[in-house]
Amino acid sequence: DQQVKQNSPSLSVQEGRISILNCDYTNSMFDYFLWYKKYPAEGPTFLISISSIKDKNEDGRFTVFLNKSAKHLSLHIVPSQPGDSAVYFCAALMNSGGSNYKLTFGKGTLLTVNP
Amino acid sequence: NAGVTQTPKFQVLKTGQSMTLQCAQDMNHNSMYWYRQDPGMGLRLIYYSASEGTTDKGEVPNGYNVSRLNKREFSLRLESAAPSQTSVYFCASSTRSQGPSNYGYTFGSGTRLTVV
């Protein structure tokens, strides 16, 4: 049973417009949510995170929104740039005992920003 | 400032062969992880090590073993490779010691493994 779901395998937007990537989760015990960006032939890199007690976190062009009641989060990129073209993974963090935390990833969404 | 280093970057194995994927981090992180990435499946946790001297199974541990050699190094071993283990393998490390903004993992660049 997948606990973190990214239902859109791909998204295509025009340069300068807004990109909205969505993510749903099922486990209310997650205490942090993170977005990772991955280019081909590279490892994922951390982009932005949000605590489960917050509803918004902003960092430059990137904003993550969290709706706990709906168990839904979204990543907004404004304005989108061609260099943002990558696979975006949503991930959820939970304490699995003591000081051990584990990330659970969604399947990813391929974002293509067209010039 | 290497971060997480994985070797090798590419490998082709024959079914039944064994090999060890190496991972080392220089950030003094306590926790280390092995993930595999398959098309349409996202990143799935194979094994993790919360701290030096401990290892635990993740979501897809069958066919793999791990060793946390010291705080820096965490290796993944395939004893008898199978075509189903063809994948891209990522090692990651993490620490919580610096607060919530650093809960994220640092990933290596991956090992692309093909089993024929």
Side-chain angles (χ1 to χ4, degrees):
Chain A
D1 183 31
Q2 199 175 11
Q3 297 189 66
V4 178
K5 301 177 184 178
Q6 293 177 258
N7 293 319
S8 298
S10 63
L11 174 67
S12 181
V13 300
Q14 286 299 121
E15 181 178 5
R17 305 294 290 269
I18 184 171
S19 296
I20 300 176
L21 294 95
N22 294 304
C23 178
D24 297 294
Y25 62 96
T26 58
N27 193 332
S28 58
M29 298 301 290
F30 290 132
D31 50 13
Y32 265 87
F33 300 91
L34 303 93
W35 285 92
Y36 283 81
K37 179 178 178 179
K38 184 184 179 306
Y39 292 117
E42 295 183 10
T45 55
F46 171 71
L47 187 59
I48 191 170
S49 66
I50 187 168
S51 165
S52 61
I53 63 172
K54 303 285 188 182
D55 55 18
K56 178 182 176 181
N57 187 28
E58 190 173 355
D59 183 3
R61 295 186 297 114
F62 303 91
T63 303
V64 56
F65 296 92
L66 176 63
N67 182 334
K68 282 193 73 174
S69 61
K71 293 190 174 67
H72 177 83
L73 64 153
S74 60
L75 174 68
H76 293 210
I77 306 174
V78 184
S80 301
Q81 300 173 354
D84 296 329
S85 297
V87 176
Y88 289 79
F89 289 102
C90 173
L93 190 74
M94 181 167 58
N95 187 339
S96 56
S99 62
N100 184 34
Y101 283 73
K102 287 192 298 182
L103 274 178
T104 301
F105 286 86
K107 293 183 177 181
T109 297
L110 173 62
L111 173 66
T112 302
V113 180
N114 302 302
Chain B
N1 199 16
V4 177
T5 302
Q6 291 183 235
T7 57
K9 292 190 183 302
F10 301 94
Q11 183 72 48
V12 178
L13 289 179
K14 293 183 179 179
T15 297
Q17 285 185 317
S18 63
M19 79 161 294
T20 299
L21 282 65
Q22 306 287 353
C23 176
Q25 52 94 6
D26 61 3
M27 297 170 287
N28 202 36
H29 285 175
N30 292 321
S31 302
M32 297 185 74
Y33 311 82
W34 277 104
Y35 284 86
R36 59 179 287 174
Q37 184 194 10
D38 302 293
M41 298 296 291
L43 289 153
R44 293 183 293 169
L45 182 64
I46 304 171
Y47 270 94
Y48 65 99
S49 170
S51 60
E52 185 178 356
T54 68
T55 61
D56 284 288
K57 295 179 180 178
E59 182 184 355
V60 287
N62 291 343
Y64 305 96
N65 285 300
V66 291
S67 296
R68 183 75 182 266
L69 305 171
N70 47 56
K71 191 170 186 179
R72 290 186 63 249
E73 298 172 287
F74 188 39
S75 62
L76 178 71
R77 182 160 178 85
L78 287 71
E79 291 290 351
S80 179
S84 62
Q85 294 177 305
T86 294
S87 187
V88 181
Y89 291 85
F90 290 100
C91 177
S93 69
S94 73
T95 183
R96 292 194 64 223
S97 63
Q98 297 181 42
S101 65
N102 286 318
Y103 282 178
Y105 292 8
T106 300
F107 282 85
S109 58
T111 296
R112 186 174 295 274
L113 175 67
T114 302
V115 183
V116 297

